[in-house]
Amino acid sequence: MKDSISPDVQIEESKTIINAVVKLNISDYMKRKVIGTMIWNITGASGKYKLPYISVLADKNHNLKVNHEHVFRKKILVEEILNNPDNLESILENAVACVVTVDEHERLNRVDRENPNLDGWVRYKLAKIEVWDKNNSEIIKY
């Protein structure tokens, strides 16, 4: 029998683990690994591709291969958490993912390489990716 928990419990327990890990006397390397995994647990709590955000192209073309993409880059979130552990809750508000096509994911990677200090939805604007917000039934305005 497979163990499972609700998405809400998975998110809260992932936050608890992050909070505990940042206080441990272990290497930053291991902290980064665990925190990164917990961010994946948070953004994929309802399912890797069952996300509130999806690119219009991915939504309209179900035969295209897709990626689970962190809107606010995981690497940056991890560093923010390590540098400001008291702001964990507000930092994790940016633990948001979007379903994009493989081609769109590469365009985002290119934007990241060209603009390493950019993060969030502005990356999507520069990559010319239109995103559907399923919770509000509207296109994201950048």
Side-chain angles (χ1 to χ4, degrees):
M1 182 173 171
K2 183 178 177 184
D3 288 335
S4 66
I5 55 177
S6 73
D8 289 339
V9 170
Q10 181 169 322
I11 290 167
E12 286 309 309
E13 289 186 358
S14 295
K15 289 177 181 180
T16 300
I17 291 167
I18 292 171
N19 195 38
V21 165
V22 296
K23 297 173 186 171
L24 292 175
N25 185 23
I26 60 174
S27 69
D28 282 350
Y29 173 81
M30 287 306 298
K31 287 179 183 181
R32 283 183 184 91
K33 285 184 70 100
V34 173
I35 293 168
T37 299
M38 292 304 104
I39 290 171
W40 268 106
N41 283 345
I42 291 168
T43 62
S46 295
K48 186 173 182 179
Y49 301 115
K50 294 180 181 179
L51 305 176
Y53 303 105
I54 186 169
S55 77
V56 170
L57 185 61
D59 193 39
K60 289 183 178 177
N61 297 283
H62 297 267
N63 59 329
L64 295 175
K65 291 186 178 187
V66 295
N67 286 107
H68 172 116
E69 206 278 331
H70 292 97
V71 176
F72 294 85
R73 292 182 283 163
K74 186 170 56 86
K75 178 181 177 180
I76 293 173
L77 290 173
V78 169
E79 291 308 313
E80 287 180 2
I81 290 166
L82 287 173
N83 293 329
N84 304 290
D86 292 338
N87 296 332
L88 179 64
E89 285 293 327
S90 63
I91 293 167
L92 287 178
E93 288 175 11
N94 287 330
V96 176
C98 179
V99 176
V100 297
T101 68
V102 169
D103 176 64
E104 290 170 326
H105 193 254
E106 179 49 42
R107 287 174 18 213
L108 286 162
N109 287 337
R110 197 172 15 236
V111 166
D112 293 344
R113 286 189 300 273
E114 294 169 2
N115 306 279
N117 295 323
L118 290 182
D119 205 18
W121 292 113
V122 69
R123 299 167 51 241
Y124 286 71
K125 181 179 182 178
L126 289 176
K128 297 180 174 35
I129 298 171
E130 198 171 35
V131 175
W132 180 250
D133 177 346
K134 294 192 283 185
N135 289 339
N136 295 310
S137 299
E138 64 185 17
I139 299 292
I140 296 281
K141 306 284 189 266
Y142 306 119

